[in-house]
Amino acid sequence: MGKEKAGFLSPKAIANRIKSKGLQKLRWYCQMCQKQCRDENGFKCHTMSESHQRQLLLFAESPDKYIDSFSEDFLNDYLELLKRRFGKKRVNCNIVYQEYIAFKEHTHMNSTQWETLTEFVKWLGREGHCVVDETEKGWFVQYIDRDPEAIKKQEQIKAKEKMELDDEERAAKFIRDQIERASAQGQEVKQTEFTDLKRENEDKKVTISLGGLSKKKETDTVASSSKDNPLKKPPVSSLENPFKKPSGSGVTSKKTEKAGQKRKSALDEIMEFEEKKKEKLNRKDYWLHEGIMVKIVTKKLGEKYYKKKAVVKEVVDLYRAVIKLIDSGDKMKVDQSHLETVIPAQGKRVLIVNGAYRGEGAILETIDEKKFSCSVSIATGPLKGRLIEGIEYEDLSKIYQP
């Protein structure tokens, strides 16, 4: 009798299913037949099989057709994973690829028109599917959403931002008009002038009157006279009026505290609100600008470049730039994480690279080393002359002037 085939729950069948779980070796996979063999002997037997020979004959008739089909499947699956898993984030291409090949039945790259992952990523950049850039950690990709609905949504967001900027400009113009109107009416706040102490007559004695001591002496005098003559009434001024309501010391202290705190005017509240809105709108996670000075803070580029100052010549993308060293003149492409801003001396020109006043040129007024912040005055645009306080070191940098 012939040998019966092992059942589904037989030990041999279970062992075979356990062995076939997970990823197997790529060299024992046949893309045409979509069959994964576990060892070299199994792959050899498969290549000699009749079904494999038929698939090879089909492939020989039109190889470009099959290669294009496999390439299209690989491209669609890779972009779908990149879009669904990472969205528009900038991510290492190898991380996406490792998640892609975790699926056992994925289309293998050796059956496509690309031989390596680097070649595939460069092709994505040339065709405009993704934004690609090369760093020390490898190639990074960022998905470009070509969906009409997504493009329409981006246009709506840009129109909204433009409308907000127009509102800010109108509010700034309204504030300037109010200030000019107040100054024209003579309501400008007079600044206190401090002068030196000068004595007109050197021989004249300096007298200081202490009101508290005189009142205390008067009280002591009244008390002593009442002891000497108990029938004599004290002056009316020294008696307390029993019908007079006691003055509330707590209420007085509260009034004093409120008087000490200067109440904000409507103009100050408008300016503070506009400041917060601009800060939220212009605060980004990238800060590189052309023409600013930066300092290299990594040793990965070499010891000779560590702590050296350079000028940003070109911003390649939002996070990297081409810089030129001031001392040696060497040029290199560096990520912003390896750079920091440069704070000049007082009175020098700076550029605000992040925050509410992003992109504005200014003059450095003061430096607060304890709070790691600076105060600047805007030097260009409609806000020229405005004093901005509390700007952190990383939000501004020196403008290069050869």
Side-chain angles (χ1 to χ4, degrees):
M1 295 178 66
K3 189 176 180 181
E4 295 183 1
K5 188 177 180 181
F8 181 76
L9 296 178
S10 63
K12 185 175 181 180
I14 294 173
N16 289 337
R17 286 198 298 274
I18 292 174
K19 291 177 183 177
S20 64
K21 276 187 177 180
L23 297 175
Q24 306 293 321
K25 288 192 175 182
L26 179 62
R27 59 180 177 175
W28 296 331
Y29 181 82
C30 177
Q31 184 67 54
M32 284 296 299
C33 304
Q34 296 183 359
K35 180 176 178 59
Q36 175 71 58
C37 301
R38 287 198 298 272
D39 51 22
E40 188 176 359
N41 184 43
F43 186 71
K44 182 179 179 182
C45 293
H46 169 71
T47 55
M48 296 173 64
S49 64
E50 184 179 354
S51 61
H52 180 74
Q53 296 297 328
R54 285 199 301 268
Q55 292 292 333
L56 289 183
L57 290 175
L58 293 173
F59 180 80
E61 291 179 0
S62 55
D64 294 338
K65 174 184 174 182
Y66 285 96
I67 291 177
D68 292 342
S69 176
F70 293 143
S71 301
E72 185 177 358
D73 294 340
F74 180 82
L75 172 65
N76 293 336
D77 294 341
Y78 188 91
L79 291 179
E80 180 65 25
L81 177 62
L82 178 62
K83 176 184 177 181
R84 184 180 68 252
R85 174 71 174 80
F86 300 99
K88 295 182 180 180
K89 294 182 180 178
R90 180 172 170 265
V91 63
N92 195 309
C93 64
N94 196 39
I95 295 176
V96 186
Y97 181 71
Q98 292 299 326
E99 291 194 15
Y100 172 71
I101 64 175
F103 179 57
K104 185 177 179 181
E105 298 179 359
H106 71 275
T107 304
H108 290 65
M109 184 177 283
N110 61 352
S111 62
T112 64
Q113 64 186 26
W114 307 288
E115 295 182 359
T116 61
L117 182 60
T118 302
E119 184 180 350
F120 172 66
V121 170
K122 291 180 179 179
W123 184 87
L124 288 178
R126 288 195 301 269
E127 295 296 323
H129 294 287
C130 298
V131 178
V132 301
D133 59 288
E134 185 182 10
T135 64
E136 299 171 355
K137 298 180 181 179
W139 284 90
F140 282 77
V141 293
Q142 185 178 4
Y143 181 71
I144 300 176
D145 198 350
R146 303 289 186 183
D147 189 21
E149 294 183 359
I151 295 173
K152 185 178 179 181
K153 188 176 180 180
Q154 288 180 357
E155 291 177 353
Q156 291 176 354
I157 293 173
K158 289 181 179 179
K160 186 178 179 181
E161 291 179 353
K162 185 179 180 181
M163 189 181 301
E164 290 178 353
L165 288 174
D166 294 340
D167 293 340
E168 291 176 4
E169 291 176 359
R170 284 196 294 269
K173 186 177 183 300
F174 173 72
I175 292 169
R176 289 197 304 272
D177 294 342
Q178 281 190 334
I179 294 173
E180 291 175 359
R181 197 180 300 115
S183 60
Q185 294 176 359
Q187 297 179 2
E188 187 177 356
V189 180
K190 296 182 179 179
Q191 296 183 355
T192 306
E193 295 182 0
F194 298 94
T195 57
D196 297 333
L197 177 62
K198 294 182 180 180
R199 295 180 62 185
E200 297 179 356
N201 190 0
E202 297 292 338
D203 299 332
K204 189 177 180 180
K205 294 182 179 180
V206 179
T207 57
I208 301 174
S209 61
L210 300 175
L213 291 177
S214 60
K215 290 182 180 179
K216 187 176 180 182
K217 287 181 180 179
E218 183 181 351
T219 307
D220 295 341
T221 307
V222 173
S224 61
S225 62
S226 62
K227 285 181 182 179
D228 296 339
N229 189 1
L231 299 177
K232 188 178 179 180
K233 295 182 179 181
V236 179
S237 61
S238 64
L239 292 176
E240 294 183 357
N241 188 357
F243 300 101
K244 188 178 180 182
K245 292 183 180 180
S247 60
S249 59
V251 177
T252 308
S253 61
K254 288 182 181 179
K255 289 182 179 180
T256 307
E257 290 178 2
K258 288 184 179 179
Q261 296 177 356
K262 187 179 179 181
R263 186 179 178 183
K264 292 183 179 179
S265 63
L267 183 61
D268 293 336
E269 291 179 356
I270 292 173
M271 292 177 66
E272 186 176 353
F273 175 74
E274 293 296 330
E275 191 97 6
K276 290 181 180 179
K277 190 163 70 171
K278 289 176 67 176
E279 175 70 23
K280 184 178 180 181
L281 184 65
N282 295 331
R283 174 65 60 179
K284 309 291 183 183
D285 60 345
Y286 51 88
W287 54 269
L288 291 172
H289 289 72
E290 292 185 8
I292 63 172
M293 289 184 62
V294 292
K295 184 187 291 185
I296 300 174
V297 293
T298 180
K299 295 183 179 179
K300 295 180 180 180
L301 303 176
E303 292 288 342
K304 64 177 182 178
Y305 297 129
Y306 182 60
K307 292 292 184 182
K308 294 293 184 180
K309 293 182 180 180
V311 58
V312 177
K313 288 294 183 182
E314 180 186 358
V315 179
V316 178
D317 53 33
L318 300 178
Y319 302 91
R320 296 189 310 134
V322 176
I323 63 172
K324 180 180 180 181
L325 271 71
I326 297 176
D327 295 340
S328 59
D330 297 342
K331 286 187 177 182
M332 62 183 69
K333 190 183 295 184
V334 189
D335 192 88
Q336 70 173 13
S337 59
H338 298 153
L339 304 172
E340 70 175 10
T341 57
V342 176
I343 307 301
Q346 296 181 9
K348 298 292 184 179
R349 291 181 60 85
V350 295
L351 181 71
I352 301 175
V353 298
N354 210 346
Y357 299 91
R358 181 187 182 97
E360 295 284 352
I363 303 296
L364 184 63
E365 299 293 343
T366 59
I367 301 175
D368 190 348
E369 296 181 355
K370 293 182 180 179
K371 296 182 179 179
F372 302 100
S373 61
C374 305
S375 298
V376 300
S377 59
I378 304 297
T380 58
L383 303 177
K384 183 176 180 180
R386 177 179 291 186
L387 182 64
I388 313 298
E389 298 179 350
I391 298 182
E392 298 180 356
Y393 285 169
E394 57 266 23
D395 289 346
L396 56 87
S397 186
K398 180 180 179 181
I399 297 177
Y400 178 70
Q401 295 177 348

